[in-house]
Amino acid sequence: MFGLRTALPGARSLVASTKSTPINAFHTSASALARPRRSRKDIVIQIRKNNLQKQEKKRLDFEASTPDYIIGKQTEFTQSLLRPQSVFQAPLAAIKPATPEPTSSNNEEDASTKSSGFAFTTSSSSPSIFSSSSRTPLIVSTSNPSGYQHFLTEQEADLIFEKVPHVQVQELMVRSTLINEKLQLPIEQQKAELVRRITALENGNAKQVTLENVRRAREAFQRAEGDTGSPEVQAAVMTVRIQNLHNHILNNKKDKHNYRRLRMLVHQRQTVLKYLKKTYPERYHVCLDRLGLEPRAIEDEIVV
């Protein structure tokens, strides 16, 4: 060993350098930076906490992305449906008290109009059909109605209220030669206008508005003329009734009977759409897009 040291060149200087270098035998940096050793039990507890946090985050994200099982999203079809509140608010502003005007005192029609609390809007040139009565009927002014009651379409309304007065005048002229067309036609037109305002939806009730929405739903989703039983039509009609009941329940929280009907309608619509998905998948997705519903609102378990 000693001979090796002397034989190797530079060995003596190496030994001298190692002896001259001070060696710190006690160093605390490694022990301070070292992680404390945890037991297996602590590791398992921490993993379980992390898993619970991930599950809670997934649950919150799932609830945040949950679609509306009842109403869904707004679509072109749902926006076209009439709301009773919006239908009945417009004509109320049209009922105005009769304002006195400076006219001649010998006009019996103006005198009867002033004596009443409300006035029926008629043109000044046409004679009034209520001149013989002292009270003017309270009729809501609906110059542009949203629709008509009793499933009356726009074509039928145009036929009854625009063309029938002319036909009626022609029949009266055939029966009697004393009938003047210029005098009789405004009277017949005013009668038709009175019937038109009475049959307008603004003068109906909430049930008439619902029936009009049902008619529009059938026309929008029917696959052929007179189709009332296809799955799309059934789902659309149920959607109309669901939205009607939902708006009613929002204003009447304690109406448990209609709340039960709402739940039944939602589940019936789910059953119909599931049948449509099973038989015609492509029609199923088109129907959902038009109704504003998502697949999760139909395929998942619904709790209403």
Side-chain angles (χ1 to χ4, degrees), residues 256-289:
K256 304 299 181 182
H257 177 70
N258 283 322
Y259 189 74
R260 180 176 178 273
R261 289 181 57 197
L262 176 64
R263 292 199 305 268
M264 293 175 62
L265 280 174
V266 170
H267 286 283
Q268 288 178 6
R269 183 180 64 180
Q270 182 189 31
T271 303
V272 170
L273 290 176
K274 281 184 177 180
Y275 167 78
L276 182 62
K277 178 187 176 183
K278 183 179 179 181
T279 53
Y280 307 101
E282 62 280 356
R283 288 166 51 183
Y284 165 75
H285 292 288
V286 173
C287 184
L288 286 189
D289 293 337

PDB file of all heavy atoms in Angstrom, residues 256-289:
ATOM      1  N   LYS A 256    -102.006  21.660  -6.331  1.00  0.00           N
ATOM      2  CA  LYS A 256    -101.406  20.326  -6.394  1.00  0.00           C
ATOM      3  C   LYS A 256    -102.027  19.464  -7.488  1.00  0.00           C
ATOM      4  O   LYS A 256    -101.367  18.605  -8.055  1.00  0.00           O
ATOM      5  CB  LYS A 256    -101.557  19.633  -5.034  1.00  0.00           C
ATOM      6  CG  LYS A 256    -100.971  20.409  -3.865  1.00  0.00           C
ATOM      7  CD  LYS A 256     -99.475  20.620  -4.038  1.00  0.00           C
ATOM      8  CE  LYS A 256     -98.886  21.373  -2.841  1.00  0.00           C
ATOM      9  NZ  LYS A 256     -97.431  21.629  -3.022  1.00  0.00           N
ATOM     10  N   HIS A 257    -103.301  19.687  -7.772  1.00  0.00           N
ATOM     11  CA  HIS A 257    -103.964  18.868  -8.782  1.00  0.00           C
ATOM     12  C   HIS A 257    -103.325  19.081 -10.162  1.00  0.00           C
ATOM     13  O   HIS A 257    -102.978  18.118 -10.856  1.00  0.00           O
ATOM     14  CB  HIS A 257    -105.449  19.205  -8.818  1.00  0.00           C
ATOM     15  CG  HIS A 257    -106.219  18.468  -9.874  1.00  0.00           C
ATOM     16  ND1 HIS A 257    -106.471  17.114  -9.799  1.00  0.00           N
ATOM     17  CD2 HIS A 257    -106.774  18.888 -11.039  1.00  0.00           C
ATOM     18  CE1 HIS A 257    -107.148  16.726 -10.869  1.00  0.00           C
ATOM     19  NE2 HIS A 257    -107.349  17.787 -11.638  1.00  0.00           N
ATOM     20  N   ASN A 258    -103.171  20.335 -10.551  1.00  0.00           N
ATOM     21  CA  ASN A 258    -102.555  20.625 -11.844  1.00  0.00           C
ATOM     22  C   ASN A 258    -101.068  20.295 -11.841  1.00  0.00           C
ATOM     23  O   ASN A 258    -100.500  20.018 -12.899  1.00  0.00           O
ATOM     24  CB  ASN A 258    -102.768  22.089 -12.213  1.00  0.00           C
ATOM     25  CG  ASN A 258    -104.172  22.347 -12.722  1.00  0.00           C
ATOM     26  OD1 ASN A 258    -104.744  21.539 -13.438  1.00  0.00           O
ATOM     27  ND2 ASN A 258    -104.741  23.476 -12.334  1.00  0.00           N
ATOM     28  N   TYR A 259    -100.431  20.338 -10.690  1.00  0.00           N
ATOM     29  CA  TYR A 259     -99.026  19.929 -10.612  1.00  0.00           C
ATOM     30  C   TYR A 259     -98.882  18.440 -10.929  1.00  0.00           C
ATOM     31  O   TYR A 259     -97.933  18.018 -11.604  1.00  0.00           O
ATOM     32  CB  TYR A 259     -98.479  20.237  -9.224  1.00  0.00           C
ATOM     33  CG  TYR A 259     -96.986  20.051  -9.103  1.00  0.00           C
ATOM     34  CD1 TYR A 259     -96.107  20.968  -9.670  1.00  0.00           C
ATOM     35  CD2 TYR A 259     -96.455  18.962  -8.429  1.00  0.00           C
ATOM     36  CE1 TYR A 259     -94.734  20.799  -9.570  1.00  0.00           C
ATOM     37  CE2 TYR A 259     -95.087  18.783  -8.323  1.00  0.00           C
ATOM     38  CZ  TYR A 259     -94.234  19.711  -8.898  1.00  0.00           C
ATOM     39  OH  TYR A 259     -92.872  19.533  -8.802  1.00  0.00           O
ATOM     40  N   ARG A 260     -99.829  17.653 -10.468  1.00  0.00           N
ATOM     41  CA  ARG A 260     -99.817  16.220 -10.801  1.00  0.00           C
ATOM     42  C   ARG A 260    -100.081  16.018 -12.293  1.00  0.00           C
ATOM     43  O   ARG A 260     -99.446  15.166 -12.940  1.00  0.00           O
ATOM     44  CB  ARG A 260    -100.869  15.492  -9.966  1.00  0.00           C
ATOM     45  CG  ARG A 260    -100.946  13.986 -10.228  1.00  0.00           C
ATOM     46  CD  ARG A 260    -101.938  13.320  -9.290  1.00  0.00           C
ATOM     47  NE  ARG A 260    -102.042  11.896  -9.570  1.00  0.00           N
ATOM     48  CZ  ARG A 260    -102.865  11.355 -10.458  1.00  0.00           C
ATOM     49  NH1 ARG A 260    -103.669  12.154 -11.165  1.00  0.00           N
ATOM     50  NH2 ARG A 260    -102.893  10.057 -10.671  1.00  0.00           N
ATOM     51  N   ARG A 261    -100.999  16.784 -12.859  1.00  0.00           N
ATOM     52  CA  ARG A 261    -101.244  16.693 -14.296  1.00  0.00           C
ATOM     53  C   ARG A 261    -100.001  17.077 -15.089  1.00  0.00           C
ATOM     54  O   ARG A 261     -99.717  16.474 -16.135  1.00  0.00           O
ATOM     55  CB  ARG A 261    -102.400  17.618 -14.680  1.00  0.00           C
ATOM     56  CG  ARG A 261    -103.772  17.150 -14.207  1.00  0.00           C
ATOM     57  CD  ARG A 261    -104.835  18.110 -14.666  1.00  0.00           C
ATOM     58  NE  ARG A 261    -104.813  18.266 -16.122  1.00  0.00           N
ATOM     59  CZ  ARG A 261    -105.388  19.266 -16.771  1.00  0.00           C
ATOM     60  NH1 ARG A 261    -106.021  20.221 -16.099  1.00  0.00           N
ATOM     61  NH2 ARG A 261    -105.335  19.321 -18.090  1.00  0.00           N
ATOM     62  N   LEU A 262     -99.261  18.056 -14.610  1.00  0.00           N
ATOM     63  CA  LEU A 262     -98.027  18.452 -15.294  1.00  0.00           C
ATOM     64  C   LEU A 262     -97.012  17.317 -15.308  1.00  0.00           C
ATOM     65  O   LEU A 262     -96.392  17.036 -16.344  1.00  0.00           O
ATOM     66  CB  LEU A 262     -97.450  19.697 -14.614  1.00  0.00           C
ATOM     67  CG  LEU A 262     -96.099  20.193 -15.143  1.00  0.00           C
ATOM     68  CD1 LEU A 262     -96.235  20.642 -16.586  1.00  0.00           C
ATOM     69  CD2 LEU A 262     -95.571  21.330 -14.283  1.00  0.00           C
ATOM     70  N   ARG A 263     -96.848  16.644 -14.186  1.00  0.00           N
ATOM     71  CA  ARG A 263     -95.918  15.511 -14.128  1.00  0.00           C
ATOM     72  C   ARG A 263     -96.350  14.400 -15.079  1.00  0.00           C
ATOM     73  O   ARG A 263     -95.524  13.799 -15.779  1.00  0.00           O
ATOM     74  CB  ARG A 263     -95.831  14.962 -12.700  1.00  0.00           C
ATOM     75  CG  ARG A 263     -95.165  15.896 -11.713  1.00  0.00           C
ATOM     76  CD  ARG A 263     -94.697  15.135 -10.478  1.00  0.00           C
ATOM     77  NE  ARG A 263     -95.772  14.384  -9.854  1.00  0.00           N
ATOM     78  CZ  ARG A 263     -96.535  14.843  -8.887  1.00  0.00           C
ATOM     79  NH1 ARG A 263     -96.356  16.071  -8.418  1.00  0.00           N
ATOM     80  NH2 ARG A 263     -97.484  14.105  -8.368  1.00  0.00           N
ATOM     81  N   MET A 264     -97.647  14.112 -15.113  1.00  0.00           N
ATOM     82  CA  MET A 264     -98.140  13.061 -16.000  1.00  0.00           C
ATOM     83  C   MET A 264     -97.905  13.418 -17.468  1.00  0.00           C
ATOM     84  O   MET A 264     -97.500  12.565 -18.276  1.00  0.00           O
ATOM     85  CB  MET A 264     -99.627  12.823 -15.737  1.00  0.00           C
ATOM     86  CG  MET A 264     -99.929  12.235 -14.374  1.00  0.00           C
ATOM     87  SD  MET A 264    -101.702  12.104 -14.044  1.00  0.00           S
ATOM     88  CE  MET A 264    -102.202  10.974 -15.336  1.00  0.00           C
ATOM     89  N   LEU A 265     -98.121  14.680 -17.839  1.00  0.00           N
ATOM     90  CA  LEU A 265     -97.913  15.084 -19.224  1.00  0.00           C
ATOM     91  C   LEU A 265     -96.438  15.012 -19.614  1.00  0.00           C
ATOM     92  O   LEU A 265     -96.099  14.617 -20.736  1.00  0.00           O
ATOM     93  CB  LEU A 265     -98.443  16.508 -19.434  1.00  0.00           C
ATOM     94  CG  LEU A 265     -99.944  16.657 -19.634  1.00  0.00           C
ATOM     95  CD1 LEU A 265    -100.335  18.118 -19.687  1.00  0.00           C
ATOM     96  CD2 LEU A 265    -100.396  15.949 -20.901  1.00  0.00           C
ATOM     97  N   VAL A 266     -95.555  15.386 -18.704  1.00  0.00           N
ATOM     98  CA  VAL A 266     -94.119  15.317 -19.000  1.00  0.00           C
ATOM     99  C   VAL A 266     -93.686  13.875 -19.242  1.00  0.00           C
ATOM    100  O   VAL A 266     -92.938  13.574 -20.186  1.00  0.00           O
ATOM    101  CB  VAL A 266     -93.310  15.964 -17.858  1.00  0.00           C
ATOM    102  CG1 VAL A 266     -91.815  15.691 -18.034  1.00  0.00           C
ATOM    103  CG2 VAL A 266     -93.557  17.458 -17.810  1.00  0.00           C
ATOM    104  N   HIS A 267     -94.170  12.949 -18.431  1.00  0.00           N
ATOM    105  CA  HIS A 267     -93.804  11.543 -18.613  1.00  0.00           C
ATOM    106  C   HIS A 267     -94.476  10.953 -19.857  1.00  0.00           C
ATOM    107  O   HIS A 267     -93.880  10.096 -20.536  1.00  0.00           O
ATOM    108  CB  HIS A 267     -94.192  10.751 -17.369  1.00  0.00           C
ATOM    109  CG  HIS A 267     -93.287  11.007 -16.196  1.00  0.00           C
ATOM    110  ND1 HIS A 267     -92.034  10.456 -16.091  1.00  0.00           N
ATOM    111  CD2 HIS A 267     -93.460  11.767 -15.083  1.00  0.00           C
ATOM    112  CE1 HIS A 267     -91.461  10.849 -14.962  1.00  0.00           C
ATOM    113  NE2 HIS A 267     -92.310  11.645 -14.332  1.00  0.00           N
ATOM    114  N   GLN A 268     -95.683  11.384 -20.175  1.00  0.00           N
ATOM    115  CA  GLN A 268     -96.319  10.910 -21.406  1.00  0.00           C
ATOM    116  C   GLN A 268     -95.556  11.390 -22.640  1.00  0.00           C
ATOM    117  O   GLN A 268     -95.367  10.632 -23.602  1.00  0.00           O
ATOM    118  CB  GLN A 268     -97.768  11.393 -21.458  1.00  0.00           C
ATOM    119  CG  GLN A 268     -98.687  10.675 -20.481  1.00  0.00           C
ATOM    120  CD  GLN A 268    -100.099  11.226 -20.525  1.00  0.00           C
ATOM    121  OE1 GLN A 268    -100.426  12.067 -21.371  1.00  0.00           O
ATOM    122  NE2 GLN A 268    -100.943  10.768 -19.621  1.00  0.00           N
ATOM    123  N   ARG A 269     -95.109  12.629 -22.615  1.00  0.00           N
ATOM    124  CA  ARG A 269     -94.301  13.128 -23.741  1.00  0.00           C
ATOM    125  C   ARG A 269     -92.984  12.370 -23.846  1.00  0.00           C
ATOM    126  O   ARG A 269     -92.524  12.072 -24.956  1.00  0.00           O
ATOM    127  CB  ARG A 269     -94.034  14.623 -23.560  1.00  0.00           C
ATOM    128  CG  ARG A 269     -93.264  15.247 -24.708  1.00  0.00           C
ATOM    129  CD  ARG A 269     -93.039  16.718 -24.486  1.00  0.00           C
ATOM    130  NE  ARG A 269     -92.212  16.983 -23.329  1.00  0.00           N
ATOM    131  CZ  ARG A 269     -91.861  18.203 -22.921  1.00  0.00           C
ATOM    132  NH1 ARG A 269     -92.280  19.267 -23.588  1.00  0.00           N
ATOM    133  NH2 ARG A 269     -91.108  18.381 -21.858  1.00  0.00           N
ATOM    134  N   GLN A 270     -92.403  12.032 -22.721  1.00  0.00           N
ATOM    135  CA  GLN A 270     -91.167  11.243 -22.743  1.00  0.00           C
ATOM    136  C   GLN A 270     -91.418   9.870 -23.368  1.00  0.00           C
ATOM    137  O   GLN A 270     -90.604   9.380 -24.167  1.00  0.00           O
ATOM    138  CB  GLN A 270     -90.625  11.096 -21.318  1.00  0.00           C
ATOM    139  CG  GLN A 270     -89.314  10.342 -21.233  1.00  0.00           C
ATOM    140  CD  GLN A 270     -88.924  10.035 -19.804  1.00  0.00           C
ATOM    141  OE1 GLN A 270     -89.787   9.849 -18.949  1.00  0.00           O
ATOM    142  NE2 GLN A 270     -87.636   9.981 -19.529  1.00  0.00           N
ATOM    143  N   THR A 271     -92.545   9.249 -23.034  1.00  0.00           N
ATOM    144  CA  THR A 271     -92.861   7.927 -23.598  1.00  0.00           C
ATOM    145  C   THR A 271     -93.054   8.003 -25.108  1.00  0.00           C
ATOM    146  O   THR A 271     -92.560   7.150 -25.860  1.00  0.00           O
ATOM    147  CB  THR A 271     -94.119   7.368 -22.924  1.00  0.00           C
ATOM    148  OG1 THR A 271     -93.923   7.313 -21.507  1.00  0.00           O
ATOM    149  CG2 THR A 271     -94.435   5.984 -23.436  1.00  0.00           C
ATOM    150  N   VAL A 272     -93.764   9.039 -25.565  1.00  0.00           N
ATOM    151  CA  VAL A 272     -94.009   9.188 -27.004  1.00  0.00           C
ATOM    152  C   VAL A 272     -92.699   9.425 -27.757  1.00  0.00           C
ATOM    153  O   VAL A 272     -92.454   8.844 -28.826  1.00  0.00           O
ATOM    154  CB  VAL A 272     -95.016  10.330 -27.247  1.00  0.00           C
ATOM    155  CG1 VAL A 272     -95.108  10.665 -28.729  1.00  0.00           C
ATOM    156  CG2 VAL A 272     -96.395   9.948 -26.725  1.00  0.00           C
ATOM    157  N   LEU A 273     -91.827  10.267 -27.214  1.00  0.00           N
ATOM    158  CA  LEU A 273     -90.566  10.559 -27.894  1.00  0.00           C
ATOM    159  C   LEU A 273     -89.613   9.368 -27.854  1.00  0.00           C
ATOM    160  O   LEU A 273     -88.816   9.174 -28.782  1.00  0.00           O
ATOM    161  CB  LEU A 273     -89.920  11.794 -27.264  1.00  0.00           C
ATOM    162  CG  LEU A 273     -90.652  13.113 -27.541  1.00  0.00           C
ATOM    163  CD1 LEU A 273     -90.010  14.256 -26.795  1.00  0.00           C
ATOM    164  CD2 LEU A 273     -90.681  13.414 -29.033  1.00  0.00           C
ATOM    165  N   LYS A 274     -89.673   8.558 -26.809  1.00  0.00           N
ATOM    166  CA  LYS A 274     -88.861   7.338 -26.787  1.00  0.00           C
ATOM    167  C   LYS A 274     -89.321   6.358 -27.861  1.00  0.00           C
ATOM    168  O   LYS A 274     -88.495   5.695 -28.504  1.00  0.00           O
ATOM    169  CB  LYS A 274     -88.945   6.686 -25.402  1.00  0.00           C
ATOM    170  CG  LYS A 274     -88.057   7.334 -24.356  1.00  0.00           C
ATOM    171  CD  LYS A 274     -88.121   6.567 -23.051  1.00  0.00           C
ATOM    172  CE  LYS A 274     -87.173   7.174 -22.015  1.00  0.00           C
ATOM    173  NZ  LYS A 274     -87.230   6.431 -20.726  1.00  0.00           N
ATOM    174  N   TYR A 275     -90.628   6.278 -28.052  1.00  0.00           N
ATOM    175  CA  TYR A 275     -91.143   5.429 -29.132  1.00  0.00           C
ATOM    176  C   TYR A 275     -90.694   5.958 -30.497  1.00  0.00           C
ATOM    177  O   TYR A 275     -90.312   5.185 -31.388  1.00  0.00           O
ATOM    178  CB  TYR A 275     -92.665   5.376 -29.067  1.00  0.00           C
ATOM    179  CG  TYR A 275     -93.308   4.785 -30.292  1.00  0.00           C
ATOM    180  CD1 TYR A 275     -93.330   3.405 -30.501  1.00  0.00           C
ATOM    181  CD2 TYR A 275     -93.884   5.604 -31.259  1.00  0.00           C
ATOM    182  CE1 TYR A 275     -93.917   2.862 -31.641  1.00  0.00           C
ATOM    183  CE2 TYR A 275     -94.469   5.070 -32.394  1.00  0.00           C
ATOM    184  CZ  TYR A 275     -94.480   3.698 -32.575  1.00  0.00           C
ATOM    185  OH  TYR A 275     -95.045   3.168 -33.709  1.00  0.00           O
ATOM    186  N   LEU A 276     -90.713   7.286 -30.664  1.00  0.00           N
ATOM    187  CA  LEU A 276     -90.254   7.875 -31.925  1.00  0.00           C
ATOM    188  C   LEU A 276     -88.770   7.605 -32.150  1.00  0.00           C
ATOM    189  O   LEU A 276     -88.351   7.351 -33.288  1.00  0.00           O
ATOM    190  CB  LEU A 276     -90.531   9.379 -31.911  1.00  0.00           C
ATOM    191  CG  LEU A 276     -90.164  10.153 -33.184  1.00  0.00           C
ATOM    192  CD1 LEU A 276     -90.961   9.647 -34.373  1.00  0.00           C
ATOM    193  CD2 LEU A 276     -90.389  11.649 -32.972  1.00  0.00           C
ATOM    194  N   LYS A 277     -87.972   7.644 -31.097  1.00  0.00           N
ATOM    195  CA  LYS A 277     -86.544   7.353 -31.227  1.00  0.00           C
ATOM    196  C   LYS A 277     -86.312   5.895 -31.624  1.00  0.00           C
ATOM    197  O   LYS A 277     -85.409   5.586 -32.418  1.00  0.00           O
ATOM    198  CB  LYS A 277     -85.832   7.661 -29.915  1.00  0.00           C
ATOM    199  CG  LYS A 277     -84.347   7.342 -29.946  1.00  0.00           C
ATOM    200  CD  LYS A 277     -83.719   7.499 -28.582  1.00  0.00           C
ATOM    201  CE  LYS A 277     -82.252   7.089 -28.628  1.00  0.00           C
ATOM    202  NZ  LYS A 277     -81.617   7.173 -27.290  1.00  0.00           N
ATOM    203  N   LYS A 278     -87.120   5.011 -31.090  1.00  0.00           N
ATOM    204  CA  LYS A 278     -86.952   3.583 -31.381  1.00  0.00           C
ATOM    205  C   LYS A 278     -87.344   3.248 -32.811  1.00  0.00           C
ATOM    206  O   LYS A 278     -86.719   2.386 -33.448  1.00  0.00           O
ATOM    207  CB  LYS A 278     -87.797   2.769 -30.392  1.00  0.00           C
ATOM    208  CG  LYS A 278     -87.670   1.268 -30.538  1.00  0.00           C
ATOM    209  CD  LYS A 278     -88.519   0.550 -29.511  1.00  0.00           C
ATOM    210  CE  LYS A 278     -88.421  -0.969 -29.679  1.00  0.00           C
ATOM    211  NZ  LYS A 278     -89.265  -1.682 -28.678  1.00  0.00           N
ATOM    212  N   THR A 279     -88.373   3.911 -33.333  1.00  0.00           N
ATOM    213  CA  THR A 279     -88.881   3.578 -34.667  1.00  0.00           C
ATOM    214  C   THR A 279     -88.248   4.441 -35.764  1.00  0.00           C
ATOM    215  O   THR A 279     -87.859   3.929 -36.814  1.00  0.00           O
ATOM    216  CB  THR A 279     -90.399   3.736 -34.684  1.00  0.00           C
ATOM    217  OG1 THR A 279     -90.738   5.053 -34.199  1.00  0.00           O
ATOM    218  CG2 THR A 279     -91.056   2.695 -33.800  1.00  0.00           C
ATOM    219  N   TYR A 280     -88.143   5.759 -35.532  1.00  0.00           N
ATOM    220  CA  TYR A 280     -87.615   6.673 -36.543  1.00  0.00           C
ATOM    221  C   TYR A 280     -86.572   7.589 -35.878  1.00  0.00           C
ATOM    222  O   TYR A 280     -86.912   8.691 -35.420  1.00  0.00           O
ATOM    223  CB  TYR A 280     -88.723   7.519 -37.170  1.00  0.00           C
ATOM    224  CG  TYR A 280     -89.869   6.713 -37.712  1.00  0.00           C
ATOM    225  CD1 TYR A 280     -91.061   6.585 -36.992  1.00  0.00           C
ATOM    226  CD2 TYR A 280     -89.772   6.061 -38.938  1.00  0.00           C
ATOM    227  CE1 TYR A 280     -92.114   5.842 -37.490  1.00  0.00           C
ATOM    228  CE2 TYR A 280     -90.823   5.311 -39.440  1.00  0.00           C
ATOM    229  CZ  TYR A 280     -91.984   5.203 -38.711  1.00  0.00           C
ATOM    230  OH  TYR A 280     -93.032   4.473 -39.197  1.00  0.00           O
ATOM    231  N   PRO A 281     -85.323   7.165 -35.793  1.00  0.00           N
ATOM    232  CA  PRO A 281     -84.303   7.979 -35.099  1.00  0.00           C
ATOM    233  C   PRO A 281     -84.085   9.347 -35.738  1.00  0.00           C
ATOM    234  O   PRO A 281     -83.878  10.338 -35.028  1.00  0.00           O
ATOM    235  CB  PRO A 281     -83.044   7.108 -35.189  1.00  0.00           C
ATOM    236  CG  PRO A 281     -83.537   5.725 -35.438  1.00  0.00           C
ATOM    237  CD  PRO A 281     -84.784   5.877 -36.245  1.00  0.00           C
ATOM    238  N   GLU A 282     -84.094   9.425 -37.072  1.00  0.00           N
ATOM    239  CA  GLU A 282     -83.832  10.715 -37.722  1.00  0.00           C
ATOM    240  C   GLU A 282     -84.975  11.699 -37.446  1.00  0.00           C
ATOM    241  O   GLU A 282     -84.741  12.898 -37.202  1.00  0.00           O
ATOM    242  CB  GLU A 282     -83.635  10.530 -39.230  1.00  0.00           C
ATOM    243  CG  GLU A 282     -84.822   9.959 -39.997  1.00  0.00           C
ATOM    244  CD  GLU A 282     -84.947   8.453 -39.861  1.00  0.00           C
ATOM    245  OE1 GLU A 282     -84.056   7.845 -39.222  1.00  0.00           O
ATOM    246  OE2 GLU A 282     -85.926   7.879 -40.375  1.00  0.00           O
ATOM    247  N   ARG A 283     -86.218  11.235 -37.456  1.00  0.00           N
ATOM    248  CA  ARG A 283     -87.339  12.103 -37.123  1.00  0.00           C
ATOM    249  C   ARG A 283     -87.305  12.497 -35.655  1.00  0.00           C
ATOM    250  O   ARG A 283     -87.777  13.588 -35.285  1.00  0.00           O
ATOM    251  CB  ARG A 283     -88.654  11.396 -37.450  1.00  0.00           C
ATOM    252  CG  ARG A 283     -88.924  11.275 -38.940  1.00  0.00           C
ATOM    253  CD  ARG A 283     -90.038  10.278 -39.252  1.00  0.00           C
ATOM    254  NE  ARG A 283     -91.246  10.536 -38.472  1.00  0.00           N
ATOM    255  CZ  ARG A 283     -92.329   9.768 -38.524  1.00  0.00           C
ATOM    256  NH1 ARG A 283     -92.346   8.691 -39.333  1.00  0.00           N
ATOM    257  NH2 ARG A 283     -93.386  10.044 -37.807  1.00  0.00           N
ATOM    258  N   TYR A 284     -86.776  11.654 -34.829  1.00  0.00           N
ATOM    259  CA  TYR A 284     -86.684  11.930 -33.388  1.00  0.00           C
ATOM    260  C   TYR A 284     -85.805  13.156 -33.131  1.00  0.00           C
ATOM    261  O   TYR A 284     -86.186  14.062 -32.383  1.00  0.00           O
ATOM    262  CB  TYR A 284     -86.139  10.696 -32.683  1.00  0.00           C
ATOM    263  CG  TYR A 284     -85.656  10.921 -31.272  1.00  0.00           C
ATOM    264  CD1 TYR A 284     -86.549  11.098 -30.226  1.00  0.00           C
ATOM    265  CD2 TYR A 284     -84.295  10.961 -30.988  1.00  0.00           C
ATOM    266  CE1 TYR A 284     -86.107  11.304 -28.932  1.00  0.00           C
ATOM    267  CE2 TYR A 284     -83.842  11.162 -29.699  1.00  0.00           C
ATOM    268  CZ  TYR A 284     -84.746  11.334 -28.675  1.00  0.00           C
ATOM    269  OH  TYR A 284     -84.294  11.544 -27.396  1.00  0.00           O
ATOM    270  N   HIS A 285     -84.628  13.221 -33.741  1.00  0.00           N
ATOM    271  CA  HIS A 285     -83.718  14.340 -33.506  1.00  0.00           C
ATOM    272  C   HIS A 285     -84.274  15.637 -34.102  1.00  0.00           C
ATOM    273  O   HIS A 285     -84.109  16.719 -33.508  1.00  0.00           O
ATOM    274  CB  HIS A 285     -82.345  14.021 -34.095  1.00  0.00           C
ATOM    275  CG  HIS A 285     -81.632  12.912 -33.377  1.00  0.00           C
ATOM    276  ND1 HIS A 285     -81.095  13.073 -32.112  1.00  0.00           N
ATOM    277  CD2 HIS A 285     -81.377  11.623 -33.733  1.00  0.00           C
ATOM    278  CE1 HIS A 285     -80.537  11.942 -31.713  1.00  0.00           C
ATOM    279  NE2 HIS A 285     -80.688  11.046 -32.671  1.00  0.00           N
ATOM    280  N   VAL A 286     -84.939  15.556 -35.235  1.00  0.00           N
ATOM    281  CA  VAL A 286     -85.555  16.754 -35.821  1.00  0.00           C
ATOM    282  C   VAL A 286     -86.665  17.281 -34.928  1.00  0.00           C
ATOM    283  O   VAL A 286     -86.798  18.496 -34.706  1.00  0.00           O
ATOM    284  CB  VAL A 286     -86.076  16.438 -37.229  1.00  0.00           C
ATOM    285  CG1 VAL A 286     -86.864  17.619 -37.789  1.00  0.00           C
ATOM    286  CG2 VAL A 286     -84.933  16.092 -38.164  1.00  0.00           C
ATOM    287  N   CYS A 287     -87.458  16.388 -34.375  1.00  0.00           N
ATOM    288  CA  CYS A 287     -88.549  16.792 -33.481  1.00  0.00           C
ATOM    289  C   CYS A 287     -88.013  17.435 -32.214  1.00  0.00           C
ATOM    290  O   CYS A 287     -88.560  18.431 -31.732  1.00  0.00           O
ATOM    291  CB  CYS A 287     -89.424  15.587 -33.158  1.00  0.00           C
ATOM    292  SG  CYS A 287     -90.875  15.958 -32.146  1.00  0.00           S
ATOM    293  N   LEU A 288     -86.928  16.884 -31.662  1.00  0.00           N
ATOM    294  CA  LEU A 288     -86.342  17.473 -30.457  1.00  0.00           C
ATOM    295  C   LEU A 288     -85.825  18.881 -30.719  1.00  0.00           C
ATOM    296  O   LEU A 288     -85.982  19.779 -29.885  1.00  0.00           O
ATOM    297  CB  LEU A 288     -85.200  16.590 -29.945  1.00  0.00           C
ATOM    298  CG  LEU A 288     -85.570  15.272 -29.257  1.00  0.00           C
ATOM    299  CD1 LEU A 288     -84.342  14.640 -28.634  1.00  0.00           C
ATOM    300  CD2 LEU A 288     -86.636  15.468 -28.199  1.00  0.00           C
ATOM    301  N   ASP A 289     -85.197  19.082 -31.871  1.00  0.00           N
ATOM    302  CA  ASP A 289     -84.683  20.413 -32.190  1.00  0.00           C
ATOM    303  C   ASP A 289     -85.812  21.427 -32.341  1.00  0.00           C
ATOM    304  O   ASP A 289     -85.681  22.581 -31.905  1.00  0.00           O
ATOM    305  CB  ASP A 289     -83.863  20.359 -33.479  1.00  0.00           C
ATOM    306  CG  ASP A 289     -82.586  19.544 -33.309  1.00  0.00           C
ATOM    307  OD1 ASP A 289     -82.129  19.399 -32.159  1.00  0.00           O
ATOM    308  OD2 ASP A 289     -82.051  19.043 -34.329  1.00  0.00           O
TER     309      ASP A 289
END
